Every structure is written in C-alpha cells, then in structure tokens.
Amino acid sequence: DLDVKKVYCWHALHGYWRGVTNGLGESIGIDVTQAYTNPSKKLLRMEPQMAYDTPTLFGVGMIRQKEDLKTFYRHLHEPLVNAGVDGVKVDVQSGVSAAGSGVQSDYELARMYTQEMEQSVAERFPDGESGAVETINCMCHSTENLYRYKKTAVARASDDFYPDRPESHSVHLVNVAYNSLFLGEIALPDWDMFHSK
C-alpha cells in the first residue's frame, strides 16, 4: 500500500513541449498555427542552446483563438477527470510568451492561455474539501504568467529536483528558499522535492 492520496497529470500550458499538432487541431476542430521562437541576443548570451533547441528549429503549435482554447482544454482535461485524476501540473508556461511572439502579441497570448487554463482547471479540478484548485503552475516565473493567476495558487519555486544527486540538494534548498521570498507574496511556493523509494 503506497498510501497515495492524490494523482496529478502533467501537461504544458500549450499542450506539450512543442504545443499542439495540426492533426490534433483538425481532429477536434480548432485552428493551430506553427510559431517559431526568436530568442534575443541577450537571451542567447545566457542560454546559447536556445539557438538550436527544438521549438526554435521546428516551431511550436499555438492556438490563437479564445474559443479554440476552451475547446482544447475541454478535450485535454475532461478525459483526465473521467479517469479519476485529481489535478494537473501545468508546465512550460513561460514558453507560451516566447513562442507567442511568432504569431501575435506575446503577453496577450500568455494572458489568454493562462485565463482559459485557469477557467478549465477551476471547473474540472476543484478540491471538494477546501475548494482550492488542484493545479501546480510550473516554469511560470515570467511576469506574463505569474501576475495573472486568479484561481490557481501554487507555483513551483525551483528548477528540477534530482533525488539521486545528493550534491545538488543543498543548492536546490537555497535556490527555493530565496525564490520563495519573492514568490510567496504572489503564490504558494512548491519546492518540488517529491521522491519515493
């Protein structure tokens, strides 16, 4: 008996790492646009691998219409609810504004995605006891995302936790503690330290 109380599923704010495929869009009747990130020279100095990462080279499938996003999240979340999933971890949130600049205003697209995601999870993943929304926001530290939360309260405060790398644990704790000082004013920081034996 593992005594698991809650089961969450992972998905990116825009579906998967590279967004939504045109085939999925056609199958559920929504419009998908391939967008290509265009990292700035300043960003490339800090993150040079972004010049040749998958979204930059091959694009990201983005949804630009609000009604299409509602349809997308309904098709994404309803099967999870029907399967008994308690909540979701919504990752790659800052990636929407990065990819969004290729199709429309990045902050407007990030706002639309965040609003529609929150509406969907609030309807489908409420905690029956507390009324909280069963969602963890992740990779969400851009202001386009972080300052828009109205229904979800938990935000991951760290990089990935590596349980099998003990030398990384102290650095992880320090980073999360410092990040939590800022994030704690806006959200409930998640320290991302779950592991099992």
Side-chain angles (χ1 to χ4, degrees), residues 6-77:
K6 302 264 183 179
V7 174
Y8 279 38
C9 281
W10 176 98
H11 70 77
L13 182 61
H14 53 301
Y16 197 64
W17 293 104
R18 287 198 40 232
V20 178
T21 65
N22 290 326
L24 176 68
E26 290 172 12
S27 72
I28 63 173
I30 64 173
D31 183 44
V32 176
T33 301
Q34 285 297 311
Y36 295 84
T37 59
N38 187 13
S40 69
K41 289 179 183 177
K42 290 179 183 178
L43 184 56
L44 289 173
R45 275 198 303 260
M46 295 179 64
E47 301 276 351
Q49 73 276 8
M50 289 187 76
Y52 50 86
D53 68 2
T54 307
T56 302
L57 296 175
F58 303 108
V60 178
M62 302 296 293
I63 301 166
R64 299 183 306 162
Q65 304 300 319
K66 190 173 188 171
E67 290 305 314
D68 285 350
L69 262 180
K70 287 179 193 274
T71 300
F72 167 69
Y73 283 125
R74 185 178 73 247
H75 281 272
L76 181 61
H77 292 149

Side-chain angles (χ1 to χ4, degrees), residues 140 142-150 182 186:
C140 59
S142 68
T143 54
E144 293 90 353
N145 300 100
L146 193 58
Y147 293 151
R148 298 201 188 281
Y149 301 131
K150 295 182 179 171
F182 168 68
I186 301 167

